[in-house]
C-alpha cells in the first residue's frame, strides 16, 4: 500500500489501537501491523512523532515505565482521545461509504 494512502488517517489508527488499553510505542506499531494483517507496517519515524503530537493535543497521555530493567514510554487514551476517536469513526463511516459507492459505480446516498 502506498504511504500517501494513510494521510489524514494515521491519528485515527493510533487512537484506535490505544482504545483497548495502554501500549508502549513498539506495541502500538505491532498492533497497527497485526490489526491490518501487515498492510500498515509503519516505521518508528512515523509513529513516534504522531504519538507526541497526539499527546501535545491532549488526546493521549504518556508515562515512563521500567520493564525488565528497560525504560519505555507507555501511551494511553484520554477522555478527549476517546471522544476524538468516536468523531473520527463517524467521519470514516461517511467517507468510506461514499468512496465505496463511487468506486462501485453507485450513487450515495441512494436516491429513490
Amino acid at each position: 500500500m502506498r504511504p500517501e494512502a494513510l494521510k489524514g488517517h494515521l491519528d485515527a489508527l493510533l487512537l484506535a489501537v490505544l482504545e483497548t488499553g495502554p501500549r508502549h510505542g513498539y506495541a502500538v506499531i505491532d498492533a497497527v501491523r497485526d490489526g491490518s494483517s501487515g498492510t500498515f507496517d509503519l516505521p518508528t519515524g512515523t509513529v513516534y512523532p504522531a504519538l507526541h503530537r497526539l499527546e501535545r493535543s491532549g488526546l493521549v497521555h504518556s508515562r515512563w515505565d521500567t520493564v525488565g530493567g528497560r525504560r519505555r514510554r507507555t501511551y494511553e487514551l484520554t477522555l478527549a482521545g476517546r471522544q476524538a476517536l468516536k468523531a473520527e469513526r463517524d467521519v470514516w463511516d461517511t467517507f468510506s461509504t461514499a468512496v465505496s459507492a463511487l468506486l462501485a459505480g453507485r450513487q450515495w446516498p441512494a436516491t429513490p
Side-chain angles (χ1 to χ4, degrees):
M1 172 148 308
R2 295 183 314 234
E4 63 270 11
L6 269 181
K7 278 194 176 176
H9 305 291
L10 176 61
D11 290 357
L13 295 176
L14 298 179
L15 293 174
V17 300
L18 289 171
E19 183 178 33
T20 59
R23 296 178 189 265
H24 61 85
Y26 283 110
V28 169
I29 292 169
D30 289 343
V32 170
R33 184 181 51 248
D34 295 347
S36 68
S37 296
T39 301
F40 304 130
D41 191 10
L42 304 175
T44 58
T46 297
V47 173
Y48 282 102
L51 287 169
H52 296 159
R53 185 179 66 254
L54 290 169
E55 185 170 26
R56 284 191 306 274
S57 299
L59 302 180
V60 301
H61 168 76
S62 71
R63 67 178 182 277
W64 285 100
D65 295 319
T66 302
V67 177
R70 298 182 67 192
R71 282 178 34 107
R72 63 183 182 185
R73 200 171 192 172
T74 302
Y75 298 88
E76 62 184 309
L77 283 183
T78 62
L79 177 58
R82 291 186 185 285
Q83 293 167 342
L85 177 57
K86 183 190 179 318
E88 288 285 346
R89 283 185 170 135
D90 291 343
V91 168
W92 176 255
D93 286 343
T94 301
F95 175 79
S96 63
T97 301
V99 169
S100 293
L102 286 167
L103 291 176
R106 300 184 317 265
Q107 184 174 2
W108 182 84
T111 55

